């Protein structure tokens, strides 16, 4: 049974990395497409202003808690979200699994060359994975049609979508009835990490829950988007009931 905690109207799955992975394995046995998202506080805040995004998150099959702010909120309001599960760690788990079962993947997103490089590096690390294809993430609506046909023809087990949030989540949801894959997951910057075009924060930042700070140091132009974390925390502290959507 699925167990979620609502944070400002967004259902966040109460999962550990292991539990999320077990859910993923279950999705792989399903006939229909399963959608996984990796929300952080920024996305939860966005969803409070963006009805379309909120609908996507309410109708996906699993939303893993990929943000330290969500864990703080859970601690303060007793929501029982056991741990942070990052998109990067989860992607690695999925890749390990695909390697074990000779599964197949397709990567959509990133700047030209990035998805291809990520696929090459993944193949070097996981020899049994079948790379069914890749496409960069800067396409128009005509090209989109061709990309979807390409994905469907390839029929991969897992489609990783890295178009940035919230575009990737909306893209998967909008095309859910047209995509011939078992699992589609929005993974954002993880593809850049696999390609080597971005680096994950050093372990010490990860352990201290300061990955957001590392990202701010590396990509200072994101500061505006990142002000959502303190705003989110303020709302969390001031709210009696954080389960309801807030503006
Ligand atoms: N990206 C893309 N198409 C777009 C916008 C972004 O392929 O129209 C890619 C971008 O190149 C990067 C990834 O999406 O590889 C994540 O982007 P960003 O860091 O802006 O998003 P985040 O996941 O942090 O929200």
């Amino acid at each position: 049974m699925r167990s979620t905690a609502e944070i400002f109207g967004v259902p966040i799955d109460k999962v550990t990395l292991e539990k999320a992975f077990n859910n993923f394995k279950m999705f792989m046995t399903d006939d229909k497409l399963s959608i996984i998202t990796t929300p952080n506080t920024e996305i939860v805040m966005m969803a409070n202003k963006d009805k379309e995004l909120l609908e996507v998150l309410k109708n996906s099959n699993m939303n893993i808690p990929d943000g330290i702010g969500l864990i703080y909120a859970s601690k303060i309001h007793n929501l029982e979200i056991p741990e942070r599960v990052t998109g990067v760690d989860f992607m690695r788990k999925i890749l390990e699994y695909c390697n074990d079962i000779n599964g197949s993947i397709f990567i959509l997103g990133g700047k030209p060359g990035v998805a291809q490089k990520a696929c090459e590096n993944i193949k070097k690390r996981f020899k049994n994975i079948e790379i069914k294809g890749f496409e960069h993430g800067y396409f128009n609506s005509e090209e989109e049609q061709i990309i979807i046909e390409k994905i469907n023809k390839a029929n991969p087990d897992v489609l990783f979508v890295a178009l940035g949030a919230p575009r990737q989540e909306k893209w998967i949801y909008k095309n859910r009835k047209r995509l011939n894959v078992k699992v589609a997951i929005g993974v954002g910057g993880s593809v850049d990490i696999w390609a080597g075009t971005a680096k994950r924060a050093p372990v010490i930042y990860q352990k201290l829950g300061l990955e957001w700070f590392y990202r701010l140091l590396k990509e200072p132009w994101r500061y505006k988007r990142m002000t959502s974390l303190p705003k989110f925390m303020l709302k969390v502290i001031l709210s009696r009931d954080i389960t309801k959507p807030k503006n």
Side-chain angles (χ1 to χ4, degrees):
M1 265 300 276
R2 188 174 177 191
S3 174
T4 59
E6 305 276 318
I7 300 190
F8 300 134
V10 177
I12 304 291
D13 284 75
K14 298 183 190 178
V15 288
T16 56
L17 180 59
E18 266 328 297
K19 173 83 174 74
F21 178 54
N22 284 336
N23 290 346
F24 162 79
K25 284 194 282 190
M26 213 174 61
F27 296 156
M28 287 285 281
T29 64
D30 224 331
D31 290 336
K32 60 168 191 30
L33 167 78
S34 295
I35 299 175
I36 303 174
T37 75
T38 60
N40 55 15
T41 48
E42 198 183 322
I43 296 173
V44 169
M45 292 291 273
M46 274 185 209
N48 273 252
K49 297 207 173 82
D50 182 341
K51 285 220 164 75
E52 187 192 344
L53 177 61
L54 186 61
E55 192 197 325
V56 173
L57 296 169
K58 281 185 158 190
N59 289 292
S60 53
N61 300 82
M62 177 164 68
N63 302 321
I64 66 172
D66 181 6
I68 194 68
L70 302 180
I71 303 305
Y72 292 149
S74 168
K75 287 207 171 112
I76 294 168
H77 289 269
N78 255 325
L79 301 179
E80 298 172 334
I81 299 174
E83 66 184 24
R84 181 176 179 216
V85 181
T86 67
V88 190
D89 289 333
F90 196 48
M91 181 171 175
R92 168 170 280 275
K93 273 289 229 198
I94 293 176
L95 291 172
E96 280 167 5
Y97 179 73
C98 287
N99 190 50
D100 288 345
I101 64 155
N102 297 310
S104 59
I105 64 164
F106 192 111
I107 298 184
L108 169 65
K111 298 205 173 87
V114 168
Q116 178 173 0
K117 189 75 197 151
C119 284
E120 283 167 14
N121 290 338
I122 287 169
K123 187 70 189 169
K124 265 187 223 153
R125 172 74 185 75
F126 300 106
K127 304 253 178 302
N128 300 332
I129 290 184
E130 190 182 350
I131 308 286
K132 288 264 180 124
F134 45 80
E135 279 292 331
H136 68 75
Y138 297 82
F139 48 83
N140 60 33
S141 50
E142 268 168 47
E143 290 162 335
E144 178 177 284
Q145 180 57 33
I146 298 168
I147 290 170
I148 290 178
E149 278 164 23
K150 188 172 166 185
I151 294 169
N152 288 343
K153 210 166 160 213
N155 186 216
D157 293 321
V158 182
L159 173 65
F160 293 107
V161 185
L163 303 173
R167 193 177 161 214
Q168 61 203 14
E169 289 76 17
K170 290 182 180 178
W171 190 89
I172 294 171
Y173 189 66
K174 183 185 87 181
N175 294 303
R176 67 194 181 282
K177 298 207 171 101
R178 305 162 71 198
L179 286 169
N180 189 13
V181 309
K182 287 183 188 157
V183 173
I185 173 167
V187 286
S190 303
V191 171
D192 281 293
I193 292 176
W194 274 102
T197 43
K199 269 214 177 87
R200 191 170 181 192
V203 176
I204 182 76
Y205 286 82
Q206 294 174 32
K207 287 217 168 114
L208 294 172
L210 288 173
E211 274 189 284
W212 61 271
F213 181 63
Y214 180 80
R215 192 141 194 213
L216 183 63
L217 293 177
K218 291 281 160 192
E219 301 170 49
W221 56 89
R222 294 175 67 96
Y223 82 93
K224 256 212 173 122
R225 281 180 66 167
M226 295 183 68
T227 54
S228 66
L229 181 58
K231 279 189 198 150
F232 172 86
M233 286 316 300
L234 202 62
K235 276 193 182 189
V236 166
I237 292 163
L238 297 178
S239 299
R240 268 218 191 140
D241 178 4
I242 71 157
T243 62
K244 303 267 167 345
K246 287 232 165 36
N247 287 311

